[in-house]
């Protein structure tokens, strides 16, 4: 087998490094110099910022700077003579492409693994340090537990040593304007939102005197403000301390537009007057406030240990998520309609893209990168504010990875497109997998079973107050039946022109129960390493089911048909086919008029062809209609290949 040229090979002398690698020798030397000056033997570097943001600004990309690795999840540890990166399976290949041989790759994310590595690399009596304003309370506790009784000291140091090593080359702070969201794109005024949170404070058995907001989307949502400090997320650096009588917003006030400032201070003086404080003063102000007879309510999932640690334990009211984070996740009627409208607009874009691919791919004119750029360009419109994350455009074997390259799209391979847009009325996220040629029986069955899982969860009826993790297996059942599975989560919350991955909604163990008015993605998949990847993702609203007792179900608001070429209708139950036909009827009714209003007649015809109803006879066989490629396969004939 010829050696791979796209990843590093540290076993040779000299080591082989592809052109995508970043040279880190000088950077590590600078960091180690700072460590020695502070008597530190190991320094832990996370891939987040002071607000536990998923996406971060370039200025906060400390892990990326010191390692060269640009994935969104990972932890680095540097000692005086070693360096290692921990990340999950989505990013292993990317790390091998980007890191030089100064770095070891640890193929896990468990803090226990990091702790064991530190115990081997750092002798007893050594100091292990981190920036307490870059680690959550839970992370700090996990590191403390991993090192407890080992003779190594976990030492918080507020001077960030990576920043010190980065020096003048570190990107400057954000300077763009912070603006008010127009009233027609908000579910309620910020004054109404504040009143609702204060009511929760009054009704709480602990009678909290203040709520501390650390998550950037919390403050943005509460005050109906938006900014551009972080890629893909319309938020800005801020903290909020909300009490029953006053409101303090910690922000760079010079960046507020005149309209935003007027909105915040129209009620001054009084309990609905927002006092503007410098962003960097939050620590001192919270410390002073905590000296009084107070109780501070905060969310432990995203408040840093640096802030948490300055509040006396007896004055804390701790929940996983603050009342603002939970209130934001439950959309009112107006917010629901705004998000529905955004998804209709987004469906038009995706349909344009799929039609364009059908024309261009057979001509060999599209690669992964140009495909991603094209769909991003299509999304720009009057209400658009760019993509909601870095578009994933992946062909063939690359669809089993997290990101794309410049691989040419082919009619002989599967193609996965995971994209989304930021619009003033909502955030979108949709994944479709396509094949323009003749898929293999394995590809077709795997795709159909992923679709079955998507349908089974989407049409599920379940009791109120059900946790997402309780019903998550419905998305996996059709895959499990033949010994297949996928390694990522089944879904995440989504915001109204906010985060594309919005906590605390979803199907993981640390998500709150599903409630009417929540939006979540539903995205099962299947990935065959080195061959192909499949994911089908829709966004759905939790609504009341048509049942005698108050149960819940989902209303899918993503409105793009699935690839008929990959559906083996013989595997679908009558109920699944009925669901598909009803869904396709909804797509025609909601998206068809929008296509016609934009005079997209060719796209309208494409929509009609691809939403023809499926038909199943009483004998249990099925035939697709019109332009559907009718091929069938028996499960028994596939089992050998499925388990190969």
């Amino acid at each position: 087998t010829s050696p791979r040229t796209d990843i590093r090979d540290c076993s040779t002398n000299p080591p082989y490094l592809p052109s995508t690698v970043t040279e880190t020798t000088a950077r590590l030397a600078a960091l180690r110099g700072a460590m020695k000056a502070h008597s530190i033997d190991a320094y832990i570097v996370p891939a987040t910022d002071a607000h536990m943001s998923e996406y971060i600004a370039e200025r906060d990309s400390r892990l990326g700077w010191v390692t060269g690795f640009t994935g969104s999840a990972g932890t680095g540890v540097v000692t005086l003579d070693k360096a290692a990166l921990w990340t999950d399976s989505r990013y292993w290949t990317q790390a091998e492409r980007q890191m030089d041989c100064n770095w070891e790759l640890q193929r896990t994310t468990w803090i226990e693994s990091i702790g064991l590595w530190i115990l081997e690399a750092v002798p007893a009596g050594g100091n292990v340090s981190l920036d307490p304003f870059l680690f959550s309370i839970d992370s700090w506790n996990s590191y403390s537990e991993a090192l407890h009784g080992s003779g190594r000291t976990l030492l918080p140091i507020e001077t960030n040593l990576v920043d010190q090593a980065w020096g003048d080359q570190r990107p400057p702070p954000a300077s763009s304007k912070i603006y008010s969201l127009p009233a027609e794109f908000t579910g309620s005024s910020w004054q109404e939102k504040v009143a609702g949170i204060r009511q929760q404070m009054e009704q709480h058995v602990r009678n909290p005197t203040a709520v501390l907001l650390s998550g950037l989307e919390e403050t943005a949502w509460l005050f109906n403000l938006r900014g551009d400090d972080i890629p893909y997320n319309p938020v800005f650096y801020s903290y909020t301390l909300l009490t029953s009588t006053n409101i303090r917003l910690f922000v760079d006030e010079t960046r507020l537009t005149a309209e935003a400032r007027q909105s915040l201070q129209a009620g001054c003086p009084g309990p609905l007057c927002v006092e503007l404080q410098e962003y960097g003063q939050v620590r001192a102000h919270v410390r002073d406030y905590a000296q009084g007879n107070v109780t501070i309510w905060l969310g432990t999932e995203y408040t840093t240990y640096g802030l948490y640690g300055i509040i006396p334990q007896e004055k804390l009211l701790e929940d996983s998520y603050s009342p603002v984070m939970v209130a934001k996740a439950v959309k009112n009627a107006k917010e629901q309609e705004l998000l529905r409208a955004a998804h209709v607009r987004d469906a038009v874009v995706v349909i344009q893209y799929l039609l364009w691919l059908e024309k261009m791919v057979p001509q060999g004119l599209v690669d992964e990168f140009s495909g991603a750029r094209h769909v991003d360009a299509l999304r720009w419109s009057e209400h658009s504010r760019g993509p909601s994350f870095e578009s994933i455009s992946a062909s063939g074997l690359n669809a089993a990875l997290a990101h794309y390259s410049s691989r040419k799209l082919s009619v002989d391979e599967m193609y996965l497109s995971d994209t989304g847009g930021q619009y003033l009325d909502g955030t979108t996220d949709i994944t479709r997998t396509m094949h323009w040629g003749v898929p293999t029986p394995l590809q077709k069955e795997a795709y159909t079973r992923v679709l079955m899982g998507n349908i089974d969860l989407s049409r599920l009826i379940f009791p109120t107050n059900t946790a997402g993790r309780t019903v998550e297996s419905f998305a996996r059942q059709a895959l499990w039946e033949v010994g297949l599975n996928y390694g990522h989560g089944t879904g995440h919350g989504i915001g109204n022109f906010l985060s594309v991955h919005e906590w605390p909604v979803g199907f993981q163990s640390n998500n709150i129960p599903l409630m009417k008015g929540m939006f979540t993605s539903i995205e099962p998949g299947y990935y065959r390493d080195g061959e192909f990847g499949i994911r089908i993702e829709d966004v759905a609203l939790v609504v009341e089911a048509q049942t005698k007792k108050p149960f819940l179900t989902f209303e899918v608001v993503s409105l793009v048909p699935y690839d008929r070429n990959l559906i083996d209708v013989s595997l679908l139950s009558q109920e699944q086919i009925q669901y598909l036909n009803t869904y396709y009827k909804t797509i025609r009714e909601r998206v068809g008029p929008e296509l016609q209003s934009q005079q997209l007649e060719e796209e309208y015809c494409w929509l009609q062809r691809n939403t023809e109803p499926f038909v199943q006879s009483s004998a249990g066989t099925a035939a697709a209609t019109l332009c559907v490629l009718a091929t069938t396969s028996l499960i028994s004939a596939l089992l050998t290949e499925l388990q190969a």
Side-chain angles (χ1 to χ4, degrees):
T1 303
S2 60
R4 290 183 63 172
T5 60
D6 63 328
I7 62 174
R8 65 181 183 168
D9 184 353
C10 297
S11 65
T12 63
N13 188 20
Y16 170 75
L17 300 175
S19 60
T20 50
V21 157
T22 297
E23 168 60 50
T24 64
T25 301
R27 299 177 183 187
L28 283 169
L31 176 56
R32 285 168 174 148
M35 291 167 58
K36 291 175 182 176
H38 289 85
S39 301
I40 292 170
D41 299 285
Y43 192 64
I44 307 173
V45 185
T48 189
D49 62 14
H51 304 272
M52 303 290 102
S53 304
E54 177 186 12
Y55 297 101
I56 58 176
E58 188 179 354
R59 176 178 174 82
D60 290 319
S61 185
R62 299 173 176 90
L63 184 65
W65 180 80
V66 76
T67 64
F69 168 70
T70 59
S72 63
T75 303
V77 179
V78 177
T79 70
L80 297 178
D81 59 359
K82 293 183 179 180
L85 170 79
W86 284 257
T87 191
D88 63 60
S89 59
R90 294 173 299 164
Y91 296 110
W92 291 345
T93 298
Q94 182 178 346
E96 297 283 12
R97 289 173 176 173
Q98 294 182 320
M99 295 196 306
D100 64 14
C101 292
N102 288 314
W103 290 87
E104 304 172 19
L105 175 60
Q106 302 290 327
R107 298 170 185 260
T108 178
T109 58
W110 296 106
I111 290 178
E112 291 86 347
S113 169
I114 301 174
L116 289 172
W117 187 92
I118 290 174
L119 293 181
E120 290 185 6
V122 176
N127 290 324
V128 180
S129 190
L130 50 73
D131 181 342
F133 287 90
L134 295 179
F135 289 83
S136 70
I137 301 160
D138 290 342
S139 294
W140 168 269
N141 290 337
S142 295
Y143 281 110
S144 181
E145 183 178 338
L147 299 178
H148 180 72
S150 69
R152 286 82 170 171
T153 302
L154 185 60
L155 187 68
I157 179 169
E158 294 183 5
T159 299
N160 189 284
L161 302 188
V162 174
D163 293 351
Q164 201 171 79
W166 206 343
D168 295 341
Q169 300 303 307
R170 188 182 178 209
S175 58
S176 58
K177 289 296 184 181
I178 300 167
Y179 57 94
S180 292
L181 194 60
E184 60 266 32
F185 296 114
T186 63
S188 53
S189 70
W190 71 259
Q191 292 90 344
E192 291 170 326
K193 294 176 181 180
V194 165
I197 301 304
R198 282 174 168 164
Q199 185 177 29
Q200 289 191 52
M201 293 165 62
E202 292 173 4
Q203 294 172 349
H204 199 286
V205 66
R206 288 280 308 277
N207 297 313
T209 61
V211 177
L212 176 61
L213 306 180
S214 292
L216 298 184
E217 63 271 28
E218 292 182 295
T219 290
W221 176 84
L222 183 65
F223 296 117
N224 292 331
L225 297 176
R226 299 295 187 269
D228 300 302
D229 291 7
I230 289 179
Y232 310 117
N233 291 274
V235 295
F236 51 93
Y237 291 111
S238 57
Y239 295 93
T240 297
L241 187 68
L242 170 65
T243 77
S244 56
T245 57
N246 59 55
I247 311 164
R248 289 184 174 88
L249 170 60
F250 299 87
V251 68
D252 181 355
E253 63 176 291
T254 65
R255 297 171 53 211
L256 290 165
T257 65
E259 181 185 18
R261 183 186 294 268
Q262 182 180 4
S263 168
L264 295 172
Q265 299 187 313
C268 294
L272 288 174
C273 169
V274 180
E275 300 176 26
L276 300 175
Q277 305 277 348
E278 280 302 309
Y279 172 78
Q281 292 299 309
V282 63
R283 183 178 0 174
H285 188 90
V286 170
R287 181 184 287 112
D288 290 344
Y289 179 79
Q291 302 305 308
N293 183 23
V294 299
T295 301
I296 301 174
W297 195 359
L298 52 76
T300 58
E301 286 280 334
Y302 44 90
T303 301
T304 64
Y305 181 76
L307 268 183
Y308 173 86
I310 63 178
I311 305 171
Q313 192 67 38
E314 68 274 11
K315 298 181 180 183
L316 278 166
L317 170 55
E318 302 177 46
D319 277 330
S320 294
Y321 307 99
S322 80
V324 171
M325 193 69 93
V326 176
K328 174 174 57 62
V330 181
K331 277 62 175 175
N332 62 29
K334 183 178 178 183
E335 290 169 323
Q336 293 173 27
E337 285 308 308
L338 288 167
L339 263 167
R340 285 191 182 99
H343 280 84
V344 170
R345 189 181 310 111
D346 202 64
V348 170
V349 168
V350 178
I351 288 169
Q352 287 179 283
Y353 182 53
L354 296 180
L355 176 59
W356 179 79
L357 288 172
E358 281 188 11
K359 294 177 178 179
M360 305 299 285
V361 171
Q363 301 178 51
L365 299 177
V366 186
D367 62 27
E368 293 168 327
F369 184 69
S370 65
R373 290 191 65 181
H374 187 73
V375 71
D376 288 347
L378 286 171
R379 277 198 168 90
W380 280 104
S381 65
E382 180 184 358
H383 297 319
S384 175
R385 293 298 182 271
S388 56
F389 55 95
E390 183 181 13
S391 295
I392 297 174
S393 169
S395 177
L397 58 88
N398 279 357
L401 304 174
H403 295 284
Y404 58 81
S405 60
S406 294
R407 183 182 175 88
K408 188 80 72 175
L409 273 59
S410 167
V411 295
D412 298 319
E413 292 186 321
M414 300 186 80
Y415 171 68
L416 186 154
S417 172
D418 185 354
T419 67
Q422 288 286 11
Y423 304 94
L424 290 175
D425 46 0
T427 304
T428 67
D429 184 3
I430 185 169
T431 306
R432 291 295 182 262
T433 305
M434 286 73 70
H435 196 301
W436 299 282
V438 181
T440 68
L442 171 62
Q443 289 173 336
K444 197 162 184 176
E445 173 155 0
Y447 179 92
T448 304
R449 290 187 175 277
V450 171
L451 176 60
M452 292 162 68
N454 181 290
I455 292 172
D456 289 345
L457 184 52
S458 298
R459 62 185 291 268
L460 186 68
I461 296 174
F462 52 92
T464 57
N465 210 37
T466 296
R469 66 180 182 275
T470 304
V471 299
E472 192 257 7
S473 60
F474 282 89
R476 300 179 185 266
Q477 182 177 348
L479 289 164
W480 286 352
E481 287 174 351
V482 289
L484 304 181
N485 202 5
Y486 54 93
H488 56 73
T490 295
H492 55 80
I494 196 160
N496 279 86
F497 187 37
L498 273 172
S499 299
V500 71
H501 299 150
E502 182 176 79
W503 289 93
V505 180
F507 300 95
Q508 300 182 45
S509 60
N510 57 349
N511 293 138
I512 63 176
L514 296 166
M515 291 183 273
K516 175 185 173 184
M518 289 179 169
F519 282 83
T520 181
S521 70
I522 296 175
E523 49 181 301
Y526 174 66
Y527 310 90
R528 198 165 180 86
D529 191 33
E531 295 185 33
F532 62 86
I534 299 164
R535 186 161 61 254
I536 300 174
E537 177 184 17
D538 293 311
V539 172
L541 168 64
V542 181
V543 297
E544 291 181 352
Q546 299 300 310
T547 50
K548 292 182 179 180
K549 293 185 178 180
F551 274 47
L552 300 173
T553 188
F554 295 106
E555 173 199 331
V556 174
V557 298
S558 299
L559 298 169
V560 177
Y562 311 114
D563 187 359
R564 301 182 82 107
N565 189 32
L566 282 165
I567 300 174
D568 182 349
V569 187
S570 70
L571 294 177
L572 302 179
S573 69
Q574 185 63 48
E575 291 78 13
Q576 289 166 338
I577 290 176
Q578 182 178 347
Y579 171 89
L580 267 181
N581 290 340
T582 301
Y583 175 56
Y584 279 6
K585 182 173 181 286
T586 301
I587 293 176
R588 284 188 171 195
E589 292 173 349
R590 300 206 64 192
V591 182
E594 185 65 24
L595 290 169
Q596 290 182 309
S597 71
Q598 296 186 32
Q599 298 182 332
L600 297 170
E601 293 302 327
E602 192 175 3
E603 286 80 0
Y604 179 79
C605 291
W606 183 95
L607 178 66
Q608 297 302 305
R609 290 195 307 273
N610 285 277
T611 54
E612 284 290 336
F614 294 93
V615 180
Q616 183 171 3
S617 71
S618 58
T621 60
T625 59
L626 293 180
C627 56
V628 180
L629 178 63
T631 57
T632 60
S633 61
L634 297 174
I635 298 176
S636 58
L638 294 172
L639 288 178
T640 301
E641 185 178 2
L642 284 168
Q643 297 176 9

